[in-house]
Amino acid sequence: MRKEREINLKNMLWYVIRGWRVIVICMLILAILFGVRQYRTDYNNAVANQNVVTPSLLDIKNSLSEQEMREIGIMQQYQLIAQSTADYMNNSILMQIPYDKEQSVVLQYYVKDLVGNEIDNAANAQAYYNYACDGSLAADIVGEYDDTLEEQYIAELLTASVLNNSVKITIVHYDMAEAEKLASLAKKAMEKYAEVLNSTSQAHELVLQSETEGVIADYELFKLQSDKASYYDSAAGTYLGWKEKMNANQQTVIDNWEDIQNMEEQGEKENEVSTDRDVETEQTIHVSVSIKSVLLGAVAGLFLSILVLLAVYISTKKMRDVSDYRVLGVEVLGTAVEEGKKHKILSGIDKCLDKLQYSDERNFNEEERFQMLCSAIYLRCKNNGIDKVYLSGTLCDEKTDNKLFHRVMLALKEKGVDIQMGQDMVHHADSLIRAAEIKNVILVEREWNSVFSSMEDEVEICTQNEICVLGGIMVRA
């Protein structure tokens, strides 16, 4: 029964990254194809329009009827309404406050008689109320709070109420620290206004009775915000509805309205923006390469190449990595790096990728890797009381680093372990006979060269013939 192979997402990602040459080539090819295709299209269009004369913006506007111009005027009014509403909603602090998390500071004042003065405290309280509600309080605050803000945005954060000789001022914000800052400025402004009022009326005292902070759910604010949003949606929807119904000439006039206004003010037939469109195209056609198309082709090449690499990784019948050994229950004794292989173009990038991929492993040099491999095989044999081992797999493949394993044979022979090598046991009967005689096998396979099913068959053959599989060695591609 065939084993289910594992798909290691990390190794799959590294396989895609290591296919950077395929990715670059695919990106270049599709970038060139997309660029050439768009260039030919642009060139053909330029040839077709070579002698076409485009009317000026003023000519287009003057060709419209009174009704068409009236429709443009109506549409612009709705556009202005929508834009002004959007600006207000973006700039207004009140519109940014979450209605269910409104931070508030309440200043409770009352007007107190001075000894010997009989005054109308309610009238003075009304004066303070008017000061808070008519924008005067906001005007006195805004300069010290933020002089870049318009006065109206501060005024709408302040509300007041009056009852007999009591005045209540409420300051709201989405940030309690800012609400406290505004409250502090409001108290200073009220104190200054009390001095002014005392100078023009009978003497009295404005007393801050309490200052309360809190978080409230303001459903009136929710309704106000909803009404503003609905008002904007209505105006914007009407504007877009009018614009959609307009013909091409009306749309051209709308899109270039500022240019047309400038042209009419200057009394010119055309301006610098439309000069090139009003003059007949010269006989020499100049078409530039579309950078957008080239980039689009490169992106398409990137995605296509990644999909191909992923498909190859998932569907390959070759051995991907050491995890294929573990699927078959074969212990991994070590890995060998193929030495002396041909250098590819920009092989330095591959070396950097090696360091990144195997950054969690110690970076052994050639001699250290040789010693580690010898030690792993020796210890495996010693622990199992074995003095003779057969190496089988892709070892005799001309692409395999035979020099390394010949050195392993000589080194282990000195330690009393006889190492013999041969081709895989599935396709070579003499190798199977030699392995059966020795009874102990170490499989040697090469990444992306050895066939997984062949290795699986080797393990099964060993089991059937009572041959002990001591482990596996993976030669990295």
Side-chain angles (χ1 to χ4, degrees):
M1 181 178 178
R2 296 295 179 182
K3 299 285 186 178
E4 290 292 333
R5 300 175 69 186
E6 298 176 353
I7 294 180
N8 187 301
L9 295 180
K10 180 180 177 182
N11 290 342
M12 182 168 65
L13 176 61
W14 276 111
Y15 176 76
V16 172
I17 295 174
R18 285 182 170 281
W20 64 269
R21 289 183 178 85
V22 174
I23 294 174
V24 170
I25 292 173
C26 195
M27 289 176 68
L28 287 175
I29 292 174
L30 288 187
I32 293 171
L33 289 177
F34 275 55
V36 169
R37 179 180 177 276
Q38 188 61 44
Y39 181 87
R40 291 187 61 184
T41 301
D42 293 342
Y43 182 83
N44 292 335
N45 291 337
V47 171
N49 298 325
Q50 186 174 9
N51 297 318
V52 174
V53 178
T54 304
S56 69
L57 295 175
L58 275 178
D59 291 338
I60 294 174
K61 183 195 173 197
N62 294 333
S63 68
L64 298 179
S65 65
E66 291 184 6
Q67 178 62 28
E68 289 173 330
M69 288 301 300
R70 192 177 299 111
E71 291 173 354
I72 290 176
I74 295 173
M75 188 220 66
Q76 289 176 329
Q77 289 179 0
Y78 281 108
Q79 182 184 24
L80 181 61
I81 293 171
Q83 186 60 51
S84 62
T85 304
D87 291 342
Y88 168 74
M89 294 180 70
N90 290 331
N91 296 326
S92 171
I93 298 174
L94 187 66
M95 292 295 104
Q96 313 304 320
I97 300 176
Y99 79 93
D100 57 341
K101 297 178 182 178
E102 184 180 72
Q103 313 290 322
S104 68
V105 178
V106 179
L107 304 177
Q108 182 69 52
Y109 289 95
Y110 74 93
V111 180
K112 177 182 177 183
D113 286 341
L114 293 179
V115 178
N117 287 330
E118 294 182 2
I119 61 173
D120 186 356
N121 291 330
N124 284 327
Q126 185 67 39
Y128 286 112
Y129 169 77
N130 295 338
Y131 170 70
C133 291
D134 64 6
S136 301
L137 177 58
D140 292 339
I141 289 176
V142 69
E144 296 186 40
Y145 180 72
D146 185 352
D147 55 10
T148 62
L149 276 178
E150 293 183 23
E151 185 179 313
Q152 63 165 328
Y153 299 133
I154 296 296
E156 62 188 9
L157 298 177
L158 309 175
T159 56
S161 61
V162 62
L163 179 63
N164 298 327
N165 66 332
S166 297
V167 179
K168 182 171 71 174
I169 298 175
T170 303
I171 299 101
V172 297
H173 206 285
Y174 54 77
D175 185 346
M176 181 57 78
E178 295 299 316
E180 291 172 349
K181 181 179 178 181
L182 284 171
S184 176
L185 295 174
K187 287 189 288 185
K188 291 179 182 179
M190 290 292 285
E191 291 171 1
K192 291 180 180 179
Y193 184 67
E195 294 176 2
V196 173
L197 196 60
N198 267 302
S199 65
T200 58
S201 64
Q202 290 181 311
H204 63 278
E205 182 180 358
L206 179 66
V207 179
L208 178 60
Q209 189 175 6
S210 64
E211 181 176 345
T212 308
E213 297 179 0
V215 180
I216 61 174
D218 189 344
Y219 291 98
E220 290 185 3
L221 175 60
F222 173 74
K223 185 177 185 304
L224 177 62
Q225 291 173 339
S226 299
D227 289 344
K228 282 291 182 182
S230 299
Y231 187 63
Y232 169 78
D233 291 341
S234 176
T238 305
Y239 159 72
L240 294 175
W242 274 95
K243 188 174 182 181
E244 186 178 352
K245 294 177 182 178
M246 292 184 177
N247 58 42
N249 285 343
Q250 286 177 303
Q251 301 236 8
T252 300
V253 171
I254 293 167
D255 293 338
N256 299 276
W257 185 258
E258 290 185 5
D259 292 337
I260 293 174
Q261 294 297 307
N262 292 334
M263 292 164 61
E264 289 180 335
E265 289 176 3
Q266 297 170 5
E268 297 176 352
K269 296 290 185 180
E270 55 199 19
N271 63 3
E272 294 179 359
V273 177
S274 59
T275 298
D276 293 337
R277 293 182 297 175
D278 296 338
V279 178
E280 183 177 351
T281 306
E282 296 180 1
Q283 293 300 318
T284 302
I285 298 175
H286 299 283
V287 179
S288 59
V289 176
S290 173
I291 301 299
K292 181 179 179 181
S293 297
V294 172
L295 292 177
L296 184 62
V299 172
L302 172 65
F303 282 101
L304 178 62
S305 57
I306 290 176
L307 288 176
V308 170
L309 290 171
L310 290 175
V312 169
Y313 184 88
I314 293 171
S315 62
T316 185
K317 296 181 179 179
K318 303 290 186 179
M319 290 193 65
R320 302 188 186 105
D321 47 56
V322 294
S323 63
D324 286 337
Y325 272 133
R326 298 188 182 99
V327 171
L328 299 175
V330 177
E331 182 180 347
V332 180
L333 298 179
T335 59
V337 177
E338 184 179 357
E339 302 290 345
K341 60 183 179 182
K342 295 181 180 179
H343 290 289
K344 297 181 180 179
I345 298 174
L346 300 175
S347 58
I349 297 177
D350 295 323
K351 292 180 180 179
C352 292
L353 292 177
D354 281 337
K355 292 181 180 179
L356 290 173
Q357 183 176 0
Y358 304 110
S359 59
D360 55 343
E361 300 179 11
R362 181 180 170 185
N363 188 20
F364 293 110
N365 57 35
E366 183 178 351
E367 183 60 28
E368 290 174 329
R369 191 175 296 279
F370 167 74
Q371 294 295 339
M372 290 295 295
L373 192 59
C374 289
S375 299
I377 297 175
Y378 174 73
L379 291 174
R380 189 66 171 161
C381 293
K382 181 181 177 181
N383 292 336
N384 288 275
I386 296 169
D387 60 359
K388 185 179 291 187
V389 177
Y390 186 73
L391 299 185
S392 174
T394 57
L395 189 62
C396 293
D397 190 325
E398 60 181 7
K399 294 182 180 179
T400 306
D401 184 12
N402 288 307
K403 294 181 181 179
L404 175 63
F405 288 102
H406 280 297
R407 289 182 63 200
V408 171
M409 290 174 60
L410 294 175
L412 291 178
K413 189 173 183 180
E414 295 177 358
K415 295 182 178 182
V417 178
D418 183 17
I419 302 292
Q420 297 187 26
M421 297 188 299
Q423 295 173 308
D424 67 273
M425 296 174 286
V426 175
H427 303 99
H428 301 87
D430 57 335
S431 295
L432 176 58
I433 293 172
R434 292 172 63 189
E437 292 172 351
I438 295 174
K439 292 293 184 179
N440 301 296
V441 170
I442 293 177
L443 301 177
V444 180
E445 305 295 345
R446 186 171 183 271
E447 285 183 350
W448 298 99
N449 180 267
S450 302
V451 179
F452 177 79
S453 59
S454 295
M455 186 190 72
E456 192 175 12
D457 291 339
E458 280 189 291
V459 174
E460 187 175 348
I461 288 174
C462 289
T463 302
Q464 292 173 353
N465 293 276
E466 298 182 351
I467 301 172
C468 178
V469 179
L470 298 178
I473 299 173
M474 181 65 76
V475 180
R476 289 178 181 166

